[in-house]
Amino acid sequence: MNAALHIVLVGAGNVASHLAPALHAAGHRITAVWSRNLPNAISLADQVQATATNQLNELPAEADLFLVSVADDALPTVANALKRPGCVVAHTSGTQPLAALQGTSEHTGVFYPLQTFTKGRPLELANVPFLIEGPELLTQLAMQLSNNVQHVNSEQRKHLHVAAVFACNFTNHLYAIADKLLANRNLSLDLLRPLIAETAAKAQHAAPATVQTGPAIRHDDAVLAKHLELLADTPQWQELYHLLSHSIQRLD
Amino acid sequence: MNAALHIVLVGAGNVASHLAPALHAAGHRITAVWSRNLPNAISLADQVQATATNQLNELPAEADLFLVSVADDALPTVANALKRPGCVVAHTSGTQPLAALQGTSEHTGVFYPLQTFTKGRPLELANVPFLIEGPELLTQLAMQLSNNVQHVNSEQRKHLHVAAVFACNFTNHLYAIADKLLANRNLSLDLLRPLIAETAAKAQHAAPATVQTGPAIRHDDAVLAKHLELLADTPQWQELYHLLSHSIQRLD
């Protein structure tokens, strides 16, 4: 694929705001950006020399690719309003099946970058796995952005997304709990940041279950009991501590 | 502190096996290494030109520092057998109070490197927080190994350790769950490794609660219900999913 594509971005959230500049930098032309929230559409469109709108019926009639990157609950509304037979229409969701785009076009696909995107935090897309389903054009496009492009069907992607929630969203929440526990004692999360970095670094090469450390895997009941006692003020975290320790021991 | 210290290492586990070579490299003399398991004592002693023993009563009568790095449940036995008045005796445990060394010497302390140590995995100690309690000699020694040395009392250290279990041990277990969920579908954890790295990298600078992503924080009930359904085969992880999602929403 050498030709520059005309791409319409339907959505201006975390994912779209990372993809749009990357697609633009790869030489493609973003013709329009839509968002329910007009200032968001304008802000992103300005970065990539596109027009902005908050009206789905104002989107261009044609483009090589309509890339739909909206919250899952907005997808049915968008799909209903977006009829573009002859064009490729793809979404970027980890949870939605290909079928969620049914009726928009006969060339539907999925263009899912498996990463946690935060607006304003730059990210090297080159290492991000792009999970593709559907038209070859999507594979070609992903390969311009990343060295890690794979074909994954809707069924596999569903399970991948659940696993990602554990590895990313829940992990971040455990960091947040640690932060609050320290703040309660006037201690800073800075004390744990090297530990957080090393734990993730270790998992880059090892099978996590084989490098498990801590009192639960050692079956150190005295420490487990002490820790549960220390968490008495926050019963919801005490319950989590209990359940996670038990789960570690089951997997042993 | 310019003089080389004479140090006896009581223990040859993960922590001791990282500290011994670092102390040796900093110019100190490890005179002896004890471990319940003689081959472990010999293996570590050989690296630092020390003598090895599995008999506590064979340890040198004198040293500038007796560094006790044993499993928490072995600490009382060791402390009972180790009477070294006039010497500094310190332990490396995150969970044990200073008082655990009572009776060993009038100069007891804590020398706690807050990191996850895996035998055979090299680690840059320079960034590891060393949490010190007790004699000034321990602070000086830690500053030779690390740029991050802090004084933390026994009460604070207990809470730090609980927080570390959340941020490290439980986090690693979530990686392990993700790994198993993917293996069940013939998918590789490699797909999630960039996500794991980015999630930890994000927490190096941000307050974790402020960068939480995922279906729970979006209150995306449709996705949450789908994910719980997908976890029906593994009720213990379904329960964890439910509890962690609920906990994310409570912190919101």
Side-chain angles (χ1 to χ4, degrees):
Chain A
M1 184 174 63
N2 294 312
L5 301 178
H6 286 206
I7 301 174
V8 170
L9 265 180
V10 188
N14 290 345
V15 175
S17 69
H18 279 87
L19 289 181
L23 292 166
H24 185 66
H28 301 290
R29 191 166 158 222
I30 314 290
T31 57
V33 174
W34 172 90
S35 169
R36 216 165 6 185
N37 177 303
L38 190 59
N40 283 357
I42 291 171
S43 160
L44 184 55
D46 281 355
Q47 290 174 47
V48 294
Q49 292 150 41
T51 62
T53 177
N54 62 351
Q55 301 295 318
L56 285 166
N57 59 17
E58 286 180 2
L59 284 175
E62 297 233 334
D64 298 300
L65 170 62
F66 288 80
L67 197 55
V68 181
S69 189
V70 298
D72 285 2
D73 58 358
L75 195 52
T77 314
V78 169
N80 269 327
L82 196 71
K83 306 296 171 195
R84 292 298 187 277
C87 303
V88 175
V89 179
H91 72 65
T92 63
S93 167
T95 47
Q96 293 294 319
L98 182 58
L101 293 173
Q102 214 166 13
T104 59
S105 161
E106 67 281 35
H107 308 297
T108 55
V110 177
F111 190 82
Y112 172 45
L114 204 179
Q115 188 49 284
T116 173
F117 293 97
T118 309
K119 260 191 194 177
R121 179 175 158 84
L123 190 74
E124 189 52 69
L125 287 179
N127 300 317
V128 172
F130 275 72
L131 309 187
I132 304 300
E133 192 173 359
E136 176 63 17
L137 173 137
L138 297 174
T139 304
Q140 296 294 323
L141 189 62
M143 286 171 68
Q144 293 181 350
L145 304 182
S146 167
N147 303 314
N148 188 351
V149 178
Q150 309 209 26
H151 293 96
V152 168
N153 65 34
S154 292
E155 180 66 17
Q156 291 173 307
R157 200 173 53 253
K158 275 197 304 194
H159 289 277
L160 252 168
H161 192 249
V162 178
V165 169
F166 278 91
C168 167
N169 306 146
F170 289 167
T171 286
N172 186 73
H173 181 57
L174 295 183
Y175 301 158
I177 292 174
D179 191 20
K180 301 292 172 191
L181 288 171
L182 293 178
N184 288 348
R185 303 284 155 174
N186 291 315
L187 292 163
S188 161
L189 187 65
D190 283 345
L191 286 167
L192 294 185
R193 286 189 159 110
L195 183 64
I196 286 172
E198 169 68 6
T199 304
K202 221 189 254 191
Q204 294 302 306
H205 304 290
T210 67
V211 295
Q212 183 67 51
T213 56
I217 195 78
R218 290 198 310 268
H219 292 261
D220 191 333
D221 295 333
V223 170
L224 294 175
K226 259 193 241 171
H227 283 182
L228 287 172
E229 205 183 300
L230 288 171
L231 293 166
D233 290 346
T234 49
Q236 74 280 18
W237 296 341
Q238 193 183 45
E239 192 184 353
L240 266 179
Y241 188 101
H242 176 74
L243 208 59
L244 284 162
S245 295
H246 189 67
S247 180
I248 287 173
Q249 295 180 344
R250 270 185 78 132
L251 209 64
D252 189 7
Chain B
M1 186 173 63
N2 294 311
L5 300 179
H6 285 208
I7 301 174
V8 169
L9 264 179
V10 187
N14 290 344
V15 175
S17 68
H18 280 87
L19 289 182
L23 292 167
H24 184 67
H28 301 290
R29 189 164 160 222
I30 314 292
T31 56
V33 175
W34 171 91
S35 169
R36 213 165 10 185
N37 176 305
L38 188 60
N40 284 358
I42 291 172
S43 159
L44 184 55
D46 281 354
Q47 291 174 47
V48 294
Q49 291 148 43
T51 61
T53 178
N54 63 351
Q55 302 296 316
L56 286 166
N57 59 18
E58 287 180 3
L59 283 175
E62 297 233 333
D64 298 301
L65 170 61
F66 287 80
L67 198 55
V68 181
S69 188
V70 298
D72 284 2
D73 59 359
L75 195 52
T77 312
V78 170
N80 269 326
L82 195 73
K83 305 297 170 195
R84 294 297 187 277
C87 305
V88 175
V89 178
H91 73 64
T92 62
S93 166
T95 47
Q96 294 295 320
L98 181 59
L101 292 174
Q102 212 165 13
T104 60
S105 161
E106 68 280 34
H107 308 298
T108 56
V110 178
F111 190 81
Y112 172 45
L114 205 179
Q115 186 50 282
T116 172
F117 292 96
T118 309
K119 261 193 191 175
R121 181 176 158 84
L123 191 76
E124 189 53 68
L125 288 179
N127 300 318
V128 172
F130 275 71
L131 309 186
I132 304 300
E133 191 171 358
E136 176 63 17
L137 173 137
L138 297 173
T139 304
Q140 296 294 325
L141 189 62
M143 287 172 68
Q144 293 181 350
L145 305 182
S146 167
N147 303 315
N148 189 348
V149 178
Q150 309 209 24
H151 293 96
V152 167
N153 65 33
S154 293
E155 181 65 18
Q156 290 173 309
R157 200 174 53 252
K158 275 198 304 193
H159 290 277
L160 253 170
H161 192 248
V162 178
V165 168
F166 278 92
C168 166
N169 306 146
F170 290 166
T171 287
N172 186 74
H173 181 56
L174 296 183
Y175 301 158
I177 293 174
D179 190 20
K180 303 290 173 191
L181 289 171
L182 293 178
N184 289 347
R185 303 284 154 176
N186 292 315
L187 292 163
S188 162
L189 187 66
D190 283 344
L191 287 166
L192 294 185
R193 286 192 159 107
L195 182 65
I196 286 172
E198 169 68 8
T199 303
K202 219 189 256 188
Q204 295 303 306
H205 305 290
T210 65
V211 294
Q212 183 67 49
T213 56
I217 195 79
R218 293 197 309 269
H219 292 261
D220 190 333
D221 294 333
V223 169
L224 293 176
K226 259 194 241 173
H227 282 181
L228 288 172
E229 205 183 300
L230 288 171
L231 292 168
D233 290 345
T234 47
Q236 74 280 18
W237 296 339
Q238 192 183 45
E239 193 185 350
L240 265 179
Y241 188 100
H242 176 73
L243 208 59
L244 284 161
S245 295
H246 189 66
S247 180
I248 287 171
Q249 294 179 347
R250 270 186 80 131
L251 208 63
D252 189 7

